[in-house]
Every structure is written in structure tokens, then in C-alpha cells.
Amino acid sequence: MNQPLRVLFVCLGNICRSPLAEVVVKSVAEEQGLSQMFHFESAGTGDWHVGKGADPRSASKAVEKGLSLEKHQAQQITPRNIHDWDVFVAMDSDNQYNLIAMGVKPEQVIMMRAFEGMEQTPDVPDPYYGGAGGFEDAYQMLILNAQGLLQCLQNFKQQH
Ligand code: 4NP
């Protein structure tokens, strides 16, 4: 079998949205027997939380949904490590802009909410400064897009 596609979920801090996206999409991939096709991780464009665990609100949301962020350690994506990844899944348009500014090719960046049939792809809003509701909202956006994203990743793998 050929190498797994290396997929990096990206947000700003890598403690709220992208770690949750990583475990949500990974669990759907497992349910569908697709896990061998992909290697999933997550990272932030910022460095404030490098080495730290997930935000407790994201970690408890994961547990509530039967997932776990217990082992999460925040990491940063920088121009030096962009070549470790084949595809980047951006939570919002700032993440997309920052990835491309680092030298990632635009065609390597997929927006997390690109699979809702909206004319303009919306962001997964940053829940960090908001209340607990923002984490449930983020989870719902992630689970809603997981299937479409996995199909897109399978297509990407076939084409590259
Ligand atoms: P995330 O949320 O990008 O979804 O992990 C944030 C976490 C921390 C900060 C910003 C966003 N911060 O400014 O520290």
C-alpha cells in the first residue's frame, strides 16, 4: 500500500479547534475503515501554547462525544516544517492566509467548512474567548463536514 496522506489540521493556538477537528475526523475515518489511508495531526500558526495540552473546554467536549484529547500536545506550523505535510485543513480564512504566506501551495489548503454547500466558505469561529456554547458549535461544524472532507482527502490522495 502506498504511503498515508499526511494531513495537518490548522488553527491559531492548537488547543481548541484543530485538536478537536483531528480527533473528530480521525474517528469518522476509523468508523469507515479509512484510517490506513491517512496520518492526521494538528498544529497552530501561533507559538503561545506549544507543548501544552488541549484547552480543558475542548478536552471535555471530546469526552462528551466519546473521544479523547488526553494525549494532545500543541505544536506550531512554521515555514520550516511545511514540507512534513501533504494537505492542510484550515479552520478559518486567517489560518488559510497564514499557511499560504508560509509557502504552502493554495491547492494544498482545504477549508474545514468547505462541505456545507455555501457559496462562500464560512470559518469555524475561534471559541477561545467565548463561552462553552462555542465548543459545541465547533463540534457540530466539524462533524457536519467530516464526511465531505474525507471524500475530498481520498480524491486528493488519488490525484497526487
Ligand atoms: P484555537 O483557539 O486557535 O482554536 O486553538 C485559540 C487558542 C488560544 C489563542 C487563540 C485562539 N490565544 O490567543 O492564546
Side-chain angles (χ1 to χ4, degrees), residues 133-145:
F135 289 80
E136 175 63 22
D137 292 347
Y139 173 80
Q140 292 301 334
M141 293 166 198
L142 299 173
I143 196 74
L144 181 65
N145 285 274

Side-chain angles (χ1 to χ4, degrees), residues 11-18 48-49 126-129:
C11 63
L12 179 58
N14 193 218
I15 56 171
C16 297
R17 292 166 292 172
S18 62
W48 312 284
H49 304 284
D126 189 348
Y128 186 66
Y129 292 107

Side-chain angles (χ1 to χ4, degrees), residues 46-62:
D47 66 357
W48 312 284
H49 304 284
V50 169
K52 307 231 180 84
D55 184 289
R57 295 165 296 175
S58 245
S60 58
K61 186 54 65 182

Side-chain angles (χ1 to χ4, degrees), residues 5-11 21 38 40 86-93 95-97 99-100 104-115 121-122 124 145-146 148-157 159-160:
L5 189 75
R6 301 164 304 171
V7 181
L8 190 69
F9 292 90
V10 178
C11 63
F38 306 112
F40 295 117
D86 302 310
V87 186
F88 300 81
V89 182
M91 296 301 118
D92 66 33
S93 55
N95 310 145
Q96 177 189 37
Y97 177 89
L99 285 165
I100 293 167
V104 173
K105 296 190 196 107
E107 58 269 28
Q108 284 178 284
V109 185
I110 300 169
M111 296 303 291
M112 183 69 228
R113 292 188 70 189
F115 308 97
T121 301
V124 179
N145 285 274
L149 174 64
L150 283 167
Q151 187 60 57
C152 178
L153 293 173
Q154 283 177 271
N155 296 344
F156 188 100
K157 192 166 194 282
Q159 286 158 15
H160 292 84

